[in-house]
Amino acid sequence: MLNHITIMGRLTRDPELRMTQSQTQVASFTLAVDRDFGGRDGGEKQTDFIDCVAWRQTAEFVSKYFAKGRMAVVSGRLQSRKWEDRDGNKRTSWEVVADNIYFGDSRRDGGDAGDNRGSSYSYEAPKTSPKASSPFEELEGDDGELPF
């Protein structure tokens, strides 16, 4: 049997990292996933809000590098969970158990987790003198002394 799901969307809130009683890390978050089509009248696209859970190193990764509004690609399996509400009614929740989480945008597009949200990143080339514009260095001496 096959149970594999891949979704892409934006985090609706910062991931919540917790520890189980056995000190296993678990992170929960929700992705807002747009449908590929509009409503029946061709109107606005609809969005599904899909609960996700990540365990161990994946939980640590998502809580460290992802934040609200960041685009994420989640690959894993769909799982149902049965529980009782406060009134004693039986409920079922569906969630994606994340095996892998990938960035769906660049830091510049989606902000950055932590204190650097919204900052842009750029690469600055190292400063070189005009003489040292080539990575190769010219050797002094006569080429006739070389063995080839």
Side-chain angles (χ1 to χ4, degrees):
M1 309 236 186
L2 181 65
N3 180 357
H4 184 82
I5 186 169
T6 302
I7 57 174
M8 179 175 176
R10 294 200 181 273
L11 274 75
T12 61
R13 57 185 165 84
D14 290 345
E16 182 182 334
L17 183 65
R18 298 182 314 268
M19 296 284 252
T20 64
Q21 290 179 347
S22 61
Q23 299 303 304
T24 302
Q25 294 178 321
V26 58
S28 57
F29 56 97
T30 302
L31 286 185
V33 180
D34 288 337
R35 294 186 185 179
D36 288 338
F37 53 88
R40 289 184 183 183
D41 58 355
E44 197 172 316
K45 287 185 179 181
Q46 295 181 347
T47 302
D48 294 306
F49 296 89
I50 301 174
D51 292 328
C52 301
V53 63
W55 293 88
R56 297 174 186 79
Q57 292 87 359
T58 308
E60 184 179 356
F61 174 77
V62 75
S63 68
K64 185 174 181 181
Y65 294 107
F66 287 86
K68 179 181 178 179
R70 190 82 196 256
M71 181 75 71
V73 179
V74 175
S75 175
R77 61 185 160 80
L78 188 61
Q79 171 178 288
S80 66
R81 230 176 357 105
K82 297 186 184 308
W83 53 282
E84 275 189 30
D85 65 12
R86 292 181 180 161
D87 300 329
N89 299 318
K90 294 187 180 199
R91 303 282 183 176
T92 302
S93 296
W94 292 88
E95 61 192 5
V96 174
V97 178
D99 293 326
N100 297 296
I101 300 175
Y102 307 95
F103 296 105
D105 59 7
S106 67
R107 288 182 183 202
R108 182 172 290 145
D109 293 341
D112 184 28
D115 297 329
N116 299 324
R117 281 191 206 146
S119 62
S120 62
Y121 294 85
S122 62
Y123 172 76
E124 185 176 321
K127 306 269 188 256
T128 58
S129 66
K131 185 175 183 179
S133 62
S134 171
F136 300 103
E137 208 175 301
E138 191 168 326
L139 298 174
E140 300 291 329
D142 186 12
D143 287 345
E145 297 175 12
L146 295 175
F148 49 89

